[in-house]
């Protein structure tokens, strides 16, 4: 199981970018303790595709300017989707970072590896799930898990 996030929409906190790494780690901790997952067969991943400015996190922090921030020090490259929403340009088209990541994960771990999207911005989460749900074993907890509750 690979839980991956871009830290773009962490509940109650907003866009934390690479500082959102604790989210996939914590999710896998839950799966290990509560679901019996083998921790040696799980991988937390943060997709570093930039970070938005202070207006996109709850405390209005200038995260990318922080000396301790380990992520890319550039903003997310946003573009308009066909439906007119603002989406991350790196996730769509022929050079899709997400597609490249998911293909690499299945090449390394096999076609049955579970690839879980976690805390992506909703404008990205819905179209990404729609794009990949029939191509990979994938799940979005924020969309499908919330719907199940």
């Amino acid at each position: 199981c690979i839980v991956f996030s871009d830290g773009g929409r962490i509940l109650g906190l907003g866009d934390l970018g690479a500082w959102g790494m604790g989210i996939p780690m914590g999710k896998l901790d839950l799966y290990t303790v509560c679901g019996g997952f083998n921790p040696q067969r799980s991988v937390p991943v943060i997709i570093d595709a930039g970070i938005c400015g202070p207006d996109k996190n709850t405390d209005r922090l200038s995260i990318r300017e922080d000396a301790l921030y380990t992520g890319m020090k550039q903003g997310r490259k946003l573009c308009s989707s066909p439906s007119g929403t603002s989406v991350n340009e790196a996730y769509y088209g022929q050079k899709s970072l997400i597609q490249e990541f998911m293909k690499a994960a299945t090449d390394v771990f096999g076609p049955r590896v579970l690839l879980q999207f976690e805390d992506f911005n909703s404008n990205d989460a819905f179209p990404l799930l729609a794009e990949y749900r029939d191509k990979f074993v994938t799940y979005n907890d924020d969309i499908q898990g919330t719907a199940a509750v």
Side-chain angles (χ1 to χ4, degrees), residues 8-9 30 33 35 42 57 64-65 67 73 76 99 125 130 140 145:
R9 189 206 52 89
L30 283 172
V33 173
S42 63
N57 67 68
R64 66 176 169 232
E65 285 80 24
K73 306 275 185 176
R76 295 178 187 275
Q99 181 172 321
N140 187 311

Side-chain angles (χ1 to χ4, degrees), residues 35-113:
F37 276 47
N38 181 345
Q40 295 176 333
R41 296 179 58 90
S42 63
V43 180
V45 173
I46 196 79
I47 302 285
D48 190 0
I51 183 171
C52 289
D55 60 316
K56 297 293 183 184
N57 67 68
T58 306
D59 288 337
R60 308 264 187 246
L61 302 173
S62 296
I63 294 172
R64 66 176 169 232
E65 285 80 24
D66 191 296
L68 299 177
Y69 183 66
T70 56
M72 288 193 329
K73 306 275 185 176
Q74 69 183 40
R76 295 178 187 275
K77 291 187 180 179
L78 303 176
C79 63
S80 287
S81 72
S83 63
T85 62
S86 182
V87 296
N88 196 318
E89 183 178 280
Y91 300 162
Y92 302 95
Q94 289 186 331
K95 294 184 177 185
S96 166
L97 177 63
I98 300 299
Q99 181 172 321
E100 185 176 334
F101 168 73
M102 294 177 87
K103 175 79 172 88
T106 56
D107 287 349
V108 171
F109 298 106
R112 293 180 18 187
V113 64

